Amino acid sequence: PAGESRGGIHIGLMYLNNRISAKSAKTVLDGKTDEWQDTDALFISAQDGCETIFRASHDEEYLYILSETASPAHQSTFYELNICNSGSDKVQTLSINASGAISSTSEQTKVLTSRGRTEAGVEGFSAEISIPLALLEAEIGDYLRIYVETEGETFTDSSKENTDSWIRIRLE
């Protein structure tokens, strides 16, 4: 059983970069991360020290994604995010850096970025993204698929050319 402890060893079930849930939440694009504390996360770590965590939530109209990137100051970190409904081949693509979205397939998609430092003092930035569910042809209960590439790294066993290999996000 998940969460059981035997003899000091914690036994549990984990889904590492397999699927996360995007739960219904009141999310505001304001550069603050308070409302993201109890959400599932995806993680990408590049060989050069860049690390990015992705979280998702939704309301009746939008999918929200929070990304938090920590990278050394000398790097010009940016990433490309691709997302689609599991039942569709219509992909929304965004390229984002610390200054905000540098390109998007939709003007309805919004991005707010803020620069800062981690608790360990590493420079980085966070980006709050809102994508209309209508653009994704998505409803509550659907699975979305996400592919991210940052500094040459992506999710394990994920290929841009094969949407079936992308990480799933369930709208709950």
Side-chain angles (χ1 to χ4, degrees):
E4 186 176 331
S5 181
R6 295 185 191 157
I9 298 174
H10 183 76
I11 300 170
L13 183 61
M14 298 176 65
Y15 297 97
L16 183 59
N17 284 353
N18 182 13
R19 175 184 82 80
I20 63 171
S21 296
K23 297 187 176 171
S24 179
K26 291 187 181 202
T27 304
V28 179
L29 295 185
D30 59 5
K32 299 177 184 172
T33 60
D34 299 344
E35 70 264 36
W36 294 94
Q37 298 307 313
D38 295 321
T39 53
D40 294 346
L42 298 170
F43 177 75
I44 294 178
S45 177
Q47 292 178 355
D48 59 9
C50 177
E51 297 177 341
T52 304
I53 295 172
F54 295 91
R55 301 178 186 279
S57 68
H58 71 86
D59 60 22
E60 293 179 9
E61 294 183 61
Y62 293 93
L63 170 71
Y64 298 96
I65 296 174
L66 170 68
S67 70
E68 297 174 288
T69 300
S71 69
H74 66 278
Q75 295 176 337
S76 59
T77 303
F78 100 100
Y79 60 87
E80 180 180 283
L81 183 146
N82 298 272
I83 188 164
C84 68
N85 190 320
S86 287
S88 172
D89 59 0
K90 185 178 180 182
V91 176
Q92 298 296 315
T93 301
L94 298 99
S95 294
I96 298 171
N97 68 12
S99 301
I102 52 178
S103 69
S104 173
T105 53
S106 169
E107 292 179 11
Q108 296 171 313
T109 298
K110 295 183 176 34
V111 178
L112 176 69
T113 61
S114 58
R115 297 188 65 71
R117 293 182 180 274
T118 67
E119 290 178 3
V122 178
E123 288 192 29
F125 71 98
S126 65
E128 286 184 298
I129 305 161
S130 69
I131 304 170
L133 290 174
L135 280 178
L136 300 169
E137 301 171 352
E139 298 177 4
I140 308 312
D142 284 352
Y143 279 99
L144 303 175
R145 296 209 178 258
I146 184 171
Y147 174 85
V148 178
E149 188 169 321
T150 177
E151 301 291 325
E153 301 291 331
T154 188
F155 300 119
T156 303
D157 297 327
S158 190
S159 164
K160 186 173 181 179
E161 293 75 32
N162 180 5
T163 59
D164 287 339
S165 71
W166 295 9
I167 302 299
R168 296 176 300 149
I169 298 174
R170 181 169 168 84
L171 296 174
E172 294 184 352

